[in-house]
């Protein structure tokens, strides 16, 4: 199984963040001092930046930047003037506005690094109109010393030994393989995997995701990355660039725990996401008149931007019905499903009991 190197700080330093504004024709690059891309740090006119790459790379970069539309990915292999290869990842999030990562090619090497004992379990995500399964969220569980599957907090309390740096690539690869099997069996579903801020910041993981999606032969957006606002706030600009790069690598983007923090509207404006999951605390307030009006307005706004809305943490089918009435697309929670181990995942497609 392919996994990533453990040195997060070194891996982060390898990448450079970039943002493009077609109005003023400026491409701004934030590169680590002393890193392999440090010569690119600063604000560049497009012509001046293109001069830093070989001739063919100039055309491959200039064309999408000049003609890109909102949502368009950018995935370009380039060569610097000194002969070093790099990967130019990103996506447009609005008209004339794009961002992403520049990753040196050597940072994308898939390295074998200590095995993780993470085992995903899968909680179904259902369509609110039919209650058919639309996808799953993969949740990380670990094999404890006594053989039981437990969450990360419990494992730490038990003193369990695991390679925490390998969790993200192992979760992504196992989830992608499960998704591929489900789709091969005729289930048109997606799979969502949570990533932390530290994992999002590792440019190695962008390359790994691209390889995982390619190897599993998944369509664009079927494997989706979930990021919480709290994680993104640690370095908002870095998170935006990384998410744009993940999108270019073929992953969908889902904004998790929406409504729990203070910058959610910046998320909606800046990130070309596929969906939004309402924070469970907000979902539980649906029966409060003022909160219901807020949730209804948020749902309309999010869907108007072309994203789906998932009500998460729903434990009562009657509450799920209220979310359906205001236009939410999906529901996730104990009202319909507990997380399922891989051998039991087929149960999710069985008809629901009549009382539900």
């Amino acid at each position: 199984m392919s996994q990533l190197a453990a040195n997060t700080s070194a891996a982060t330093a390898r990448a450079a963040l970039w943002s493009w504004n077609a109005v003023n024709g400026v491409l701004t690059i934030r590169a680590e001092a002393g890193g392999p891309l440090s010569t690119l740090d600063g604000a560049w006119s497009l012509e001046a930046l293109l001069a830093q790459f070989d001739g063919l790379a100039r055309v491959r970069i200039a064309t999408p930047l000049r003609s890109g539309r909102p949502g368009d990915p950018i995935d370009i292999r380039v060569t610097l003037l000194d002969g070093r290869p790099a990967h130019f990842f990103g996506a447009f999030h609005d008209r004339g506005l794009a961002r992403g990562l520049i990753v040196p090619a050597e940072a994308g090497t898939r390295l074998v690094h200590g095995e993780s004992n993470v085992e995903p379990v899968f909680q179904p995500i259902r369509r609110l109109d039919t209650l058919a399964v639309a996808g799953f969220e993969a949740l990380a569980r670990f094999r404890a010393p006594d053989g039981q599957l437990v969450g990360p907090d419990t494992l730490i309390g038990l003193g369990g030994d695991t390679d925490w740096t390998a969790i993200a690539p192992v979760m992504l690869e196992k989830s992608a393989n499960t998704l591929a099997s489900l789709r091969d069996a005729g289930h048109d579903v997606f799979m969502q995997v949570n990533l932390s801020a530290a994992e999002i910041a590792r440019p190695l993981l962008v390359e790994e995701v691209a390889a995982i999606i390619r190897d599993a032969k998944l369509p664009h957006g079927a494997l989706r990355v979930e990021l919480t606002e709290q994680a993104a706030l640690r370095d908002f600009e870095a998170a935006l660039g990384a998410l744009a790069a993940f999108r270019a690598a073929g992953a969908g983007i889902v904004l998790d725990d929406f409504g729990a923090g203070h910058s959610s509207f910046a998320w909606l404006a800046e990130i070309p996401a596929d969906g939004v999951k309402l924070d469970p605390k907000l979902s539980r307030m649906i029966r409060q008149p003022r909160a219901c009006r807020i949730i209804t307005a948020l749902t309309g706004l999010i869907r108007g931007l072309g994203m789906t809305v998932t009500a998460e943490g729903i434990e009562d089918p009657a509450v799920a019905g209220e979310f359906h009435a205001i236009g939410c697309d999906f529901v996730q929670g104990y009202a319909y499903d507990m997380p399922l181990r891989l051998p039991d995942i087929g149960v999710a497609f069985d008809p629901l009991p009549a009382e539900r």
Side-chain angles (χ1 to χ4, degrees), residues 34-295:
L37 299 173
S38 59
T39 57
L40 298 179
D41 187 71
W44 300 79
S45 68
L46 183 57
E47 290 72 19
L49 178 70
L50 294 178
Q52 306 304 307
F53 301 98
D54 72 12
L56 291 176
R58 296 172 190 176
V59 176
R60 289 196 295 269
I61 293 173
T63 300
L65 288 181
R66 287 173 172 152
S67 60
R69 298 171 297 179
D72 283 355
I74 297 173
D75 184 353
I76 307 166
R77 301 281 181 174
V78 298
T79 304
L80 300 176
L81 287 180
D82 61 8
R84 288 178 297 147
H87 203 157
F88 202 89
F89 273 123
F92 278 82
H93 61 277
D94 209 334
R95 181 177 299 175
L97 300 174
R99 58 165 57 87
L101 297 179
I102 305 174
V103 184
E106 64 269 18
T109 303
R110 300 182 74 184
L111 302 176
V112 175
H113 182 271
E115 183 71 15
S116 170
N117 66 338
V118 66
E119 296 184 29
V121 296
F122 306 95
Q123 186 168 34
I125 299 171
R126 295 182 178 271
R127 302 183 187 278
L128 269 169
D129 55 353
T130 64
L131 294 182
V133 174
F136 296 85
E137 179 182 357
L139 306 168
R141 298 292 184 266
F142 302 85
R143 190 66 63 180
D146 63 0
Q148 297 296 311
L149 277 181
V150 299
D153 293 340
T154 302
L155 184 68
I156 293 172
L158 294 172
D161 182 20
T162 192
D163 179 5
W164 297 101
T165 65
I167 291 173
V170 175
M171 279 289 293
L172 286 162
E173 190 157 18
K174 289 184 175 181
S175 299
N177 290 339
T178 299
L179 177 59
S181 296
L182 290 171
R183 295 181 66 87
D184 287 345
H187 302 296
D188 185 13
V189 293
F190 53 79
M191 182 72 71
Q192 298 178 181
V193 183
N194 273 288
L195 295 182
S196 70
E199 291 160 345
I200 285 288
R202 292 163 57 186
L204 286 170
L205 192 58
V206 176
E207 294 273 12
E208 188 78 1
V209 165
I212 288 170
I213 291 172
R214 181 181 63 249
D215 292 348
K217 298 180 173 60
L218 294 173
H220 192 287
L223 183 67
R224 303 179 179 182
V225 170
E226 288 190 17
L227 181 71
T228 65
E229 181 185 72
Q230 287 79 359
L233 286 175
R234 299 179 190 180
D235 189 337
F236 188 58
E237 291 299 320
L240 293 178
L243 289 173
F246 276 107
R247 187 176 183 86
I253 304 296
V254 176
L255 309 182
D256 196 14
D257 294 340
F258 186 86
H262 303 289
S263 302
S264 295
F265 287 104
W267 276 41
L268 297 182
E270 299 281 358
I271 299 176
D274 299 276
V276 171
K277 295 177 76 173
L278 300 178
D279 183 80
K281 294 178 182 177
L282 188 63
S283 296
R284 287 194 289 269
M285 298 169 66
I286 187 68
R287 287 179 167 170
Q288 300 176 21
R290 287 173 61 86
C292 183
R293 293 182 65 180
I294 292 172
I295 296 169

